[in-house]
């Protein structure tokens, strides 16, 4: 066991060294958890395939028939980085941090993987569902159609799909955060600056969604149906099979449909997905994969903004969680279509060349009603201002990446290398519909009696409001040098050219940055076979899309990311832990300019750049097989994010979180039953808003939030299993938004039932 120790020099609580002292015992606990569980986890990662009539030897020596569902697709190639059908909470290697396939213990940065088993156990149907329960990630609702994501005190804007950069435009609510997990094997999260692999980006986190592959030569079908207490229901089918006699060509199709009501009155949410992929071994050394997906997101009677926050007596509003401030005709539907292909060629056992490409088309055509201002008269229910909005948004993205990875020998040791290049282009077009004359709009009615029956206006002519093209091209290289048996150094760099041009709300857009160098350095030292310590450094560069009060784009964010930590794993990797201590320094970070909006740009908020922004904190995570029957994922995060004047920034997100989830196989007590549960806890978060009655700035806040969840899964027979999940078990009422100018509430107690049939 290795413990980080701290000297006696005293610092104020906000300094990095304070966090070292603060987490000494956490480091010890994390290491002890791994060390004490090694024996129990030694064989838990092995996959056992059981057929009808097979037997299992129990601990007491008796033998009984197995009723475990048959395991599908067993592979010993850990470099495929597949978690499906492994029943595991961990993955042997991942490549999102450095591009090289490294174990968690070899990676000098905080990383997390949400495996397919975790996704199923927690019934996470969308990307947002996954991230809400992920260690070190904070999720807030901007309104009914959009979510905000944050990590280490800064917003998350870096996303990848199969390692290709993908631009998610939350301002337009194109539905990316609602991406269905039905088509993904797992989600990899790298916290901290990720410029080496993602190029320009935030020092918060990079989220990489890994698609399911057509990797099964045996015909396999999975059918699933689900329903929750509010009447939202769905069905899905997942079919894999060989398309040639010798199994060299394989196919997979996933289709799902989800629709129904939510806990919010009149709101309906749904999605339908079709995903298909074909993989072919064109030679012994070359594999080609092609595929496509299309997802339609339905969002009817969804709020733009939130509920009124103040009443005319100066008090803060408190609404039923089911209250809906939208009109019946509003919608925020969207469509996402992806075409993708990759080809990989093994030159030999050491060297591999991979080229990936994707093309994405997304569009939305929202019709929205926005309520704002006030205060709301406590007697008449009047006093709100409002705005209506109708637009068509279209986005096209092209991404290409080529990588050469391999091993080379030098100075008597084997080292790793990756070199490559990438290109991405995004075209974003927005067309808005002219608003009718204010005199032609119907007046608002009593909001206390609001039923959404406000009439839809007559929309005017359709005009182009924005036409913006963003391009980024880069070359990158990194190497893992084994300087000795215990000591490894990772050195890398990325050189990028960034350009953003076009027109947005009559303003010319012309942002260009050439030859931006993003260095990366990391070092790991193996204390023994199970524990390693690490340190890493990376530069930060991120062009910004926020504008100031004059309509000018803010300068790019620049900064540095420092991190040290301890990583541990059991002998077979079935149990992993990490303790990370970080410090981030940034200049030009966008912050809201007192709630002001940009003249002539609708309701677009104005921002100012904050210099000297820093965040420092600690993250602790333990994940995997603790015993033969118990699997768990535990993550704790605490940080301080401040500007140069020690003023807290991004306060709409919690700065301390705890995520815990575990499952226990009760087969020894009640055959075929697995139970589980967890807690997602966060401390308070707040915003500074102006009370419209007193005209004074006030703190609008949400106290600590504790969301308890439980689940149970029962294997009925070899093909059929039933699962029930209960979310927000104690029905806590809480504000889920990261802004308090409008109020949005989190989901109350919900019960979800699911049946799954495999054959």
């Amino acid at each position: 066991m290795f413990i980080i120790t701290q000297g006696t020099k005293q610092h104020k609580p906000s300094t990095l060294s304070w966090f070292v002292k603060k987490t000494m015992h956490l480091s010890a606990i994390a290491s002890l958890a791994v060390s004490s569980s090694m024996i129990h986890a030694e064989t838990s990662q092995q996959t056992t395939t059981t057929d009808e009539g097979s037997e299992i030897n129990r601990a007491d020596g008796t033998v009984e028939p197995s009723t475990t569902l048959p395991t599908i697709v067993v592979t010993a190639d850990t470099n495929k980085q597949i978690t499906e059908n492994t029943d595991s909470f961990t993955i042997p290697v991942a490549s999102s941090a450095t591009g090289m396939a490294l174990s968690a213990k070899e990676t000098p940065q905080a990383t997390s993987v949400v495996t397919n088993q975790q996704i199923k156990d927690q019934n996470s149907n969308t990307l947002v569902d996954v991230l809400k329960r992920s260690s070190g990630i904070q999720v807030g609702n901007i309104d009914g159609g959009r979510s905000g994501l944050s990590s280490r005190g800064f917003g998350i804007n870096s996303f990848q799909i199969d390692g290709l950069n993908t631009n998610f435009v939350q301002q337009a609510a194109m539905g990316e955060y609602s991406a269905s997990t039905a088509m993904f094997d797992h989600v990899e999260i790298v916290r901290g600056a990720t410029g080496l692999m993602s190029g320009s980006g935030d020092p918060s986190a990079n989220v990489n969604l890994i698609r399911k592959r057509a990797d099964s030569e045996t015909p396999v079908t999975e059918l699933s149906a689900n329903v929750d207490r509010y009447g939202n229901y769905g069905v899905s089918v997942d079919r894999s099979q060989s398309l040639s006699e010798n199994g060299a060509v394989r196919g997979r199709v996933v289709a799902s449909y989800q629709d129904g009501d939510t806990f919010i009155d009149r709101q309906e949410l749904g999605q339908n997905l079709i995903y298909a992929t074909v993989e072919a071994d064109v030679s012994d050394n070359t594999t080609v994969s092609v595929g496509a997906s299309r997802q339609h997101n339905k969002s009817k009677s969804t709020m733009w903004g939130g509920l009124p926050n103040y009443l005319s007596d100066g008090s803060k509003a408190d609404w039923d969680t089911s209250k809906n401030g939208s009109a019946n005709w509003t919608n925020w539907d969207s469509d996402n279509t992806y075409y993708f292909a990759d080809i990989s060629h093994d030159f030999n056992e050491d060297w591999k060349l991979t080229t990936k490409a994707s093309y994405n088309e997304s569009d939305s055509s929202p019709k929205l009603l926005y309520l704002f201002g006030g205060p709301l008269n406590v007697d008449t229910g009047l006093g709100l201002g409002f705005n209506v909005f109708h637009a068509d948004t279209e986005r096209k993205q092209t991404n290409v990446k080529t990588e050469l990875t391999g091993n080379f020998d030098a100075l008597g040791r084997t080292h790793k290398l990756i070199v490559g290049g990438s290109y991405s282009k995004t075209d974003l077009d927005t067309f808005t519909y002219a608003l009718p004359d204010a005199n032609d709009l119907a007046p608002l009615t009593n909001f206390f009696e609001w039923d959404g029956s406000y009439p839809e206006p007559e929309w005017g002519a359709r005009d182009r409001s924005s036409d913006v093209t963003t391009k980024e091209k880069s070359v990158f290289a990194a190497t893992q040098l084994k300087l000795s048996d215990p000591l490894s150094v990772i050195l890398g760099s990325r050189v990028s050219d960034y350009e953003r041009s076009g027109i947005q709300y009559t303003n010319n857009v012309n942002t260009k940055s050439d030859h931006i160098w993003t260095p990366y350095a990391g070092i790991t030292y193996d204390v023994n076979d199970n524990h390693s310590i690490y340190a890493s450094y990376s530069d930060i560069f991120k062009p910004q899309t926020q504008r100031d009060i004059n309509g000018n784009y803010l300068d790019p964010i620049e900064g540095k990311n420092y991190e040290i930590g301890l990583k541990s794993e059991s002998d077979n990797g079935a149990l992993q832990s990490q303790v990370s201590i970080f410090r981030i320094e940034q200049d030009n970070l966008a912050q809201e300019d007192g709630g002001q909006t940009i003249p002539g740009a609708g309701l677009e908020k104005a921002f100012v750049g904050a210099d000297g922004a820093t965040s420092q904190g600690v993250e602790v995570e333990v994940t995997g097989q603790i015993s033969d029957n118990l699997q768990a994922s535990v993550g704790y995060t605490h940080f301080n994010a401040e500007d140069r004047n020690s003023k807290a920034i991004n306060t709409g997100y919690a700065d301390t979180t705890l995520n815990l989830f575990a499952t226990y196989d009760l087969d020894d007590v009640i055959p075929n039953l697995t139970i589980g549960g967890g807690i997602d806890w966060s401390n308070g978060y707040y915003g500074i808003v102006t009370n419209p009655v007193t005209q004074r700035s006030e703190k609008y806040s949400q106290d600590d939030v504790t969301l308890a969840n439980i689940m149970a899964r029962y294997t009925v027979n070899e093909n059929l299993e039933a699962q029930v999940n209960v979310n927000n078990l104690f029905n806590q009422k809480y504000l889920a938004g990261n802004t308090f100018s409008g109020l949005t509430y989190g989901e109350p107690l919900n019960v979800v039932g699911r049946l799954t049939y495999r054959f």
Side-chain angles (χ1 to χ4, degrees):
M1 180 177 65
F2 182 83
I3 302 175
I4 298 177
T5 60
Q6 164 73 9
T8 59
K9 185 177 179 179
Q10 297 298 311
H11 298 278
K12 64 180 182 178
S14 62
T15 61
L16 182 60
S17 57
W18 179 86
F19 287 110
V20 178
K21 184 177 180 181
K22 179 75 172 178
T23 55
M24 288 170 55
H25 65 290
L26 294 174
S27 171
I29 292 172
S31 299
L32 182 60
V34 172
S35 301
S36 63
S37 303
M38 287 177 189
I39 298 177
H40 296 289
E42 185 114 8
T43 59
S44 60
Q45 191 79 339
Q46 300 174 359
T47 303
T48 304
T49 303
T50 57
D51 300 313
E52 185 174 3
S54 63
E55 297 178 339
I56 293 179
N57 293 317
R58 296 173 61 91
D60 59 5
T62 62
V63 177
E64 66 174 22
S66 169
T67 55
T68 304
L69 289 178
T71 301
I72 306 159
V73 187
V74 179
T75 176
D77 187 0
T78 59
N79 285 323
K80 284 189 175 182
Q81 301 174 43
I82 294 172
T83 69
E84 194 176 16
N85 303 308
T86 65
D87 300 328
S88 176
F89 279 20
T90 61
I91 189 171
V93 294
S95 57
S96 294
T98 65
M100 297 174 285
L102 302 174
S103 69
K105 194 163 70 73
E106 294 177 291
T107 304
Q109 203 162 348
T111 61
S112 297
V113 174
V114 183
T115 66
N116 198 259
Q117 188 62 49
Q118 287 174 274
I119 291 172
K120 289 183 175 181
D121 287 346
Q122 295 183 285
N123 195 43
S124 298
N125 294 319
T126 67
L127 173 59
V128 165
D129 291 340
V130 171
L131 296 179
K132 282 180 178 178
R133 296 154 177 164
S134 299
S135 177
I137 305 296
Q138 294 83 38
V139 179
N141 294 340
I142 297 174
D143 48 31
R146 298 172 294 176
S147 298
L149 307 175
S150 182
S151 181
R152 298 186 171 184
F154 304 110
I156 299 174
N157 295 289
S158 297
F159 297 89
Q160 295 179 326
I161 300 179
D162 286 340
L164 287 175
N165 290 343
T166 304
N167 185 15
F168 287 2
V169 184
Q170 266 297 281
Q171 296 92 330
M174 306 293 282
E176 303 97 333
Y177 288 5
S178 298
S180 173
T181 55
M183 59 179 161
F184 296 110
D185 177 86
H186 66 278
V187 177
E188 298 180 6
I189 301 168
V190 182
R191 293 185 295 280
T194 58
L196 178 61
M197 285 294 100
S198 61
S200 60
D202 300 287
S204 50
N206 179 69
V207 179
N208 190 8
L209 289 77
I210 308 300
R211 292 186 180 98
K212 292 178 177 178
R213 307 280 297 194
D215 53 5
S216 177
E217 300 179 13
T218 304
V220 177
T221 302
E222 179 177 290
L223 303 175
S224 181
N226 66 85
V227 64
D228 72 11
R229 67 172 290 208
Y230 301 108
N232 202 276
Y233 62 94
V235 293
S236 67
V237 58
D238 185 342
R239 171 70 176 182
S240 299
Q241 69 174 64
S242 174
L243 301 179
S244 63
E245 290 186 3
N246 63 357
V249 182
R250 303 165 295 278
R252 186 168 194 167
V253 175
V254 178
S256 67
Y257 176 83
Q258 194 80 28
D259 200 0
D261 298 330
T262 74
F263 71 94
I264 299 175
D265 288 340
R266 300 181 287 105
Q267 178 178 260
E268 297 178 18
L269 296 180
Q271 57 181 222
N272 55 70
L273 165 74
I274 181 70
Y275 166 72
T277 183
V278 175
E279 187 173 285
D281 301 325
V282 297
S283 73
D284 290 341
N285 300 318
T286 305
T287 299
V288 176
S289 177
V290 297
S293 67
R294 179 176 176 83
Q295 180 171 318
H296 171 73
N297 303 294
K298 172 187 176 182
S299 184
K300 181 181 178 183
S301 295
T302 296
M303 284 188 289
W304 178 27
L307 299 168
N309 57 355
Y310 280 101
L311 302 179
S312 60
D313 59 5
S315 64
K316 295 176 180 178
D318 182 19
W319 304 101
D320 291 338
T321 55
S322 60
K323 183 70 173 177
N324 190 342
S326 68
N328 294 331
W329 48 265
T330 62
N331 81 81
W332 217 327
D333 294 359
S334 60
D335 292 278
N336 298 106
T337 303
Y338 287 87
Y339 305 94
F340 54 92
D342 65 67
I343 179 170
S344 62
H345 177 76
D346 295 324
F347 295 102
N348 50 45
E349 292 183 355
D350 289 318
W351 289 96
K352 181 176 184 178
L353 180 67
T354 303
T355 297
K356 300 178 180 180
S358 70
Y359 175 75
N360 160 235
E361 292 183 355
S362 300
D363 62 80
S364 65
S365 185
K367 294 181 178 180
L368 303 171
L369 172 69
Y370 181 69
L371 303 178
F372 62 90
L376 185 67
N377 190 289
V378 294
D379 297 317
T380 65
L382 303 178
L384 298 177
F386 70 99
N387 187 33
V388 292
F389 180 76
H390 181 23
D392 299 327
T393 303
E394 302 170 358
R395 184 193 61 210
K396 299 178 180 178
Q397 295 186 75
T398 302
N399 295 283
V400 181
K401 178 190 281 187
T402 296
E403 297 175 338
L404 176 66
T405 57
N407 304 316
F408 66 95
D409 293 329
L411 303 176
R413 300 185 183 277
T414 300
H415 317 277
K416 295 180 182 292
L417 176 70
I418 178 173
V419 294
S422 65
Y423 171 81
S424 64
K425 177 184 177 182
T426 300
D427 293 311
L428 182 64
D429 297 316
T430 304
F431 303 85
T432 54
Y433 292 82
L435 302 179
D437 186 273
N439 295 325
D440 295 331
L441 291 172
L444 296 180
T445 58
N446 186 337
F447 188 73
F448 295 112
E449 300 174 357
W450 184 267
D451 61 1
S453 59
Y454 183 84
E456 181 178 356
E458 293 291 334
W459 305 103
R462 178 179 182 264
D463 293 316
R464 183 189 295 272
S465 56
S466 69
D467 180 6
V468 179
T469 299
T470 304
K471 299 178 182 179
E472 185 170 349
K473 55 185 178 181
S474 64
V475 293
F476 55 88
T479 182
Q480 183 199 43
L481 302 175
K482 294 288 291 185
L483 303 184
S484 66
D485 286 342
L487 180 63
S488 297
V489 173
I490 295 178
L491 299 174
S493 182
R494 188 183 190 99
V495 180
S496 305
D497 292 339
Y498 178 92
E499 180 181 356
R500 192 168 186 265
S501 59
I503 298 175
Q504 186 170 14
Y505 292 108
T506 71
N507 293 300
N508 290 326
V509 178
N510 188 11
T511 302
K512 189 175 183 180
S513 301
D514 292 331
H515 311 315
I516 302 301
W517 180 47
T518 309
Y520 179 94
I523 184 170
T524 62
Y525 183 82
D526 293 335
V527 179
N528 53 38
D529 291 340
N530 302 109
H531 307 288
S532 69
I533 55 176
Y534 74 88
S536 63
Y537 165 86
S538 180
D539 270 4
I540 300 163
F541 175 79
K542 172 64 185 299
Q544 302 189 82
T545 58
Q546 294 90 343
R547 298 193 290 165
D548 63 22
I549 192 66
N550 298 314
N552 300 316
Y553 285 91
L554 300 182
D555 291 336
I557 296 173
E558 296 182 356
K560 304 177 186 299
N561 184 97
Y562 307 90
E563 187 171 326
I564 61 173
L566 163 71
K567 294 196 175 185
S568 306
E569 66 178 23
S570 57
D571 290 338
N572 63 353
L575 182 64
Q576 301 172 358
S577 75
Q578 56 187 339
V579 178
S580 307
I581 301 171
F582 59 87
R583 178 177 173 84
I584 300 166
E585 301 172 355
Q586 288 193 104
D587 286 327
N588 307 322
L589 178 67
Q591 296 289 287
E592 286 191 18
D593 188 2
Q596 297 187 83
T597 58
I598 301 172
L603 296 175
E604 183 181 351
K605 292 184 177 180
F607 289 82
V608 295
D611 286 339
T614 63
S615 174
Q616 51 193 11
V618 60
E619 295 172 337
V620 182
E621 185 175 15
V622 179
T623 303
Q625 196 86 19
I626 295 177
S627 70
D628 290 340
N629 301 89
L630 178 64
Q631 288 203 98
S633 177
V634 184
Y636 169 82
T637 298
H638 175 74
F639 61 86
N640 287 337
E642 301 174 336
D643 65 13
R644 69 187 329 161
N645 298 316
S646 299
K647 180 182 178 181
I649 58 177
N650 292 342
T651 59
Y653 297 98
D655 59 25
T656 308
T657 60
L658 173 66
N659 303 94
L660 183 153
F661 181 77
T663 61
Y664 190 86
D665 184 353
L666 280 173
D667 194 64
D668 292 338
V669 180
I670 305 176
N672 310 322
L673 179 64
T674 298
I675 61 172
I679 291 176
D680 297 307
W681 174 87
S682 63
N683 71 333
Y685 40 93
Y686 66 93
I688 303 299
V689 299
T690 300
N691 186 318
V693 178
T694 66
Q695 294 300 309
R696 294 178 179 175
S697 295
E698 296 180 353
K699 180 184 286 188
Y700 215 114
S701 61
Q702 169 61 54
D703 294 334
D704 295 5
V705 176
T706 304
L707 303 178
N709 311 287
I710 58 174
M711 61 81 68
R713 181 176 59 250
Y714 183 75
T715 303
V716 180
N717 55 41
E718 293 180 350
N719 303 100
L720 179 67
E721 70 179 20
Q723 180 172 317
V724 61
N725 290 77
V726 181
N727 302 323
N728 196 357
L729 177 64
F730 302 114
N731 200 29
Q732 177 169 7
K733 182 179 180 180
Y734 64 101
L735 292 170
N738 63 318
T739 175
F740 294 88
S741 56
L743 308 181
T744 58
Y745 291 94
E747 184 181 63
L749 183 148
N750 195 7
V751 181
V752 185
R754 181 181 294 273
L755 287 175
T756 302
Y757 186 77
R758 301 185 187 98
F759 60 94

